[in-house]
Amino acid sequence: MGDRRIPEATVARLPEYLTALVELAASGVATVASEGLAQAMGVTSSQVRKDLSFLGTYGTRGVGYAVEELLHHISGLLGLNREWSAVLVGVGNLGRALASYGGLAQRGFRLAALVDADPAKAGTRVSGVEVEALEELPRIVARERATIAIVTVPAEAAQDVADRLVDAGITSVLNFAPVHLSVPPHVRVRKVDLATELLILAYYENARSRGEPHDAPAGVAEHARPVAGSDAS
Amino acid sequence: MGDRRIPEATVARLPEYLTALVELAASGVATVASEGLAQAMGVTSSQVRKDLSFLGTYGTRGVGYAVEELLHHISGLLGLNREWSAVLVGVGNLGRALASYGGLAQRGFRLAALVDADPAKAGTRVSGVEVEALEELPRIVARERATIAIVTVPAEAAQDVADRLVDAGITSVLNFAPVHLSVPPHVRVRKVDLATELLILAYYENARSRGEPHDAPAGVAEHARPVAGSDAS
């Protein structure tokens, strides 16, 4: 079950499958039916069967999916069996927040380097990592063998930073700047918009204030997760 | 086209339809075919037709959807015709980053109040807003008529903060703390996990390093956006 093409929407759900499976494994559950996974994830069981069939996993009739085996498989696909070195550019509030966010290290992401254009920040330390100058980027990326970068600079600086990252050899960019980045075909950009989540909550608040029915049971905590779509610009 | 139940996955795509439509309107495009919207969003055109039919919008055969009309309709559903007052609890790096994030105000979200448990922070100002004490929460929520709260406190403080917010009358919570929050049935929680995005990028880096084909054209900038699913815990 190796070189199949897995649809983008299924890939985007893999982190959530991982979370559900980690919790099942921790609870000592050995096998899980598609219905059980579906409930944990808030999707339909036919979606679960479809997703997992893309991974080449079909479960056993009347038994379900082997939790540890599936967990191992998805961990492998997500590269959790190795450490990823990421370079973060833009040591402002958001950059600092990400640098101190424990969740990254838990998933095998090491913020190998923090980079900022402000000379006054170079040499200072954030969460134990020294901030380095933007001009050093090519050397830093090579030194850390980094392929992933996180961009937390202001919108007007983001394209210049993206160009520098691409020149330095970065092939995956997580962009928090509220701007569309142009990159060559071999580079993958994901854009995170912190306001999107609030808009979705506003939809439900709005429906509530109009007294309209709203889908999905209230009180069920939702797990926001990303699904890739092409940037509209 | 009012009181239909709109599926949660469609709701989660509304902010992205909005972005695409705003750009089309800005470019002077009057009507758009489902294929055009599909391309802008990275979904199939049948998905676009399905989503918009849930909104009660069917377009005109051979013409497509009226951009301004659809934009107006979706803006209304998302409550963009009104201002939302949100209360942010936890004025650390992430809280500060959100407070200074221009994207919120653009979408009609006013961070009406910043709250922190640390007495040393009370009275200081962040992005022009004075930080208030956690004990003041009931009074603050009433004063601002806020229904939405953003939680950016450490994991160990998040449940206590959530309880206080619910007691104060908050009905929608955007939770950045890496922990599951228990809330009563009438309260909606969305959890944002900043590592999820990186995991998805890691999947593609991993596939690349194995020399496997990976779905979705490389070089297409992706717009990360959330789709609701129930929390696994």
Side-chain angles (χ1 to χ4, degrees):
Chain A
M1 40 192 193
D3 59 0
R4 275 176 194 75
R5 269 169 187 266
I6 302 177
E8 193 124 353
T10 299
V11 170
R13 277 188 286 271
L14 292 181
E16 209 168 337
Y17 279 107
L18 186 79
T19 303
L21 290 164
V22 164
E23 298 198 10
L24 288 167
S27 315
V29 175
T31 56
V32 63
S34 54
E35 290 76 16
L37 268 175
Q39 208 184 354
M41 293 191 44
V43 297
T44 63
S45 54
S46 78
Q47 185 66 67
V48 167
R49 286 189 296 272
K50 217 195 240 177
D51 282 342
L52 299 186
S53 75
F54 287 127
L55 311 190
T57 306
Y58 295 92
T60 308
R61 188 181 289 271
V63 176
Y65 299 92
V67 170
E68 284 290 357
E69 189 184 311
L70 191 51
L71 183 54
H72 182 75
H73 183 41
I74 292 178
S75 298
L77 287 173
L78 292 173
L80 289 176
N81 44 357
R82 50 166 288 186
E83 191 186 63
W84 296 96
S85 290
V87 169
L88 181 145
V89 185
V91 187
N93 285 316
L94 183 59
R96 252 185 278 265
L98 287 168
S100 59
Y101 179 61
L104 300 188
Q106 266 173 36
R107 320 291 179 85
F109 295 101
R110 189 171 65 94
L111 278 192
L114 303 177
V115 177
D116 202 282
D118 180 0
K121 284 184 185 164
T124 63
R125 296 184 88 83
V126 174
S127 299
V129 178
E130 192 177 319
V131 178
E132 298 177 82
L134 190 58
E135 290 66 37
E136 299 294 318
L137 210 44
R139 213 178 318 180
I140 295 165
V141 170
R143 182 189 75 207
E144 304 295 345
R145 298 172 194 273
T147 53
I148 298 178
I150 302 174
V151 174
T152 49
V153 298
E156 60 275 18
Q159 185 61 53
D160 172 57
V161 164
D163 294 344
R164 288 168 182 258
L165 287 167
V166 169
D167 287 347
I170 289 293
T171 46
S172 283
V173 176
L174 186 56
N175 177 31
F176 284 85
V179 64
H180 171 76
L181 298 179
S182 298
V183 294
H186 71 283
V187 177
R188 187 169 282 266
V189 177
R190 287 187 72 85
K191 190 175 163 194
V192 180
D193 182 348
L194 295 170
T196 301
E197 292 293 331
L198 277 170
L199 278 175
I200 294 168
L201 279 176
Y203 167 83
Y204 290 105
E205 281 293 330
N206 209 29
R208 197 194 304 257
S209 71
R210 288 193 307 251
E212 285 177 15
H214 37 80
D215 195 70
V220 172
E222 293 149 18
H223 191 103
R225 66 189 166 68
V227 168
S230 59
D231 197 282
S233 54
Chain B
M1 43 196 194
D3 60 358
R4 276 176 193 76
R5 271 168 185 267
I6 302 177
E8 192 123 357
T10 298
V11 170
R13 276 187 286 271
L14 292 181
E16 209 169 337
Y17 280 108
L18 185 80
T19 303
L21 290 164
V22 165
E23 298 198 10
L24 288 168
S27 315
V29 176
T31 56
V32 61
S34 55
E35 290 75 18
L37 270 176
Q39 207 184 355
M41 294 189 43
V43 297
T44 63
S45 54
S46 77
Q47 184 66 66
V48 167
R49 287 190 296 272
K50 217 196 242 174
D51 282 343
L52 299 186
S53 75
F54 288 127
L55 310 191
T57 307
Y58 295 92
T60 307
R61 187 180 292 271
V63 175
Y65 300 91
V67 170
E68 285 290 354
E69 189 185 313
L70 192 51
L71 183 54
H72 182 75
H73 184 40
I74 292 177
S75 297
L77 287 172
L78 292 172
L80 289 176
N81 43 356
R82 50 165 288 185
E83 190 186 66
W84 295 95
S85 291
V87 170
L88 182 144
V89 185
V91 188
N93 286 317
L94 183 59
R96 251 186 279 264
L98 287 169
S100 59
Y101 179 61
L104 300 189
Q106 265 173 35
R107 321 291 181 86
F109 294 100
R110 190 172 64 94
L111 279 192
L114 304 176
V115 177
D116 202 283
D118 181 358
K121 284 184 185 163
T124 63
R125 295 185 90 84
V126 174
S127 299
V129 179
E130 191 177 322
V131 179
E132 298 176 82
L134 188 59
E135 290 68 35
E136 300 294 320
L137 210 43
R139 213 176 323 178
I140 295 165
V141 170
R143 182 188 76 208
E144 304 295 345
R145 300 171 194 270
T147 53
I148 299 179
I150 303 175
V151 174
T152 47
V153 299
E156 60 275 18
Q159 185 61 55
D160 173 55
V161 164
D163 294 344
R164 288 168 181 259
L165 287 167
V166 169
D167 287 347
I170 289 292
T171 47
S172 283
V173 176
L174 186 57
N175 177 31
F176 284 86
V179 65
H180 171 74
L181 297 180
S182 297
V183 294
H186 70 283
V187 177
R188 187 168 283 266
V189 177
R190 289 189 70 87
K191 191 176 165 194
V192 179
D193 182 348
L194 296 169
T196 301
E197 292 293 330
L198 277 170
L199 278 175
I200 294 168
L201 279 177
Y203 168 84
Y204 290 105
E205 281 293 329
N206 208 29
R208 196 196 303 260
S209 71
R210 287 193 308 250
E212 285 177 15
H214 37 82
D215 194 72
V220 172
E222 292 148 20
H223 191 104
R225 67 189 165 69
V227 168
S230 59
D231 197 282
S233 55

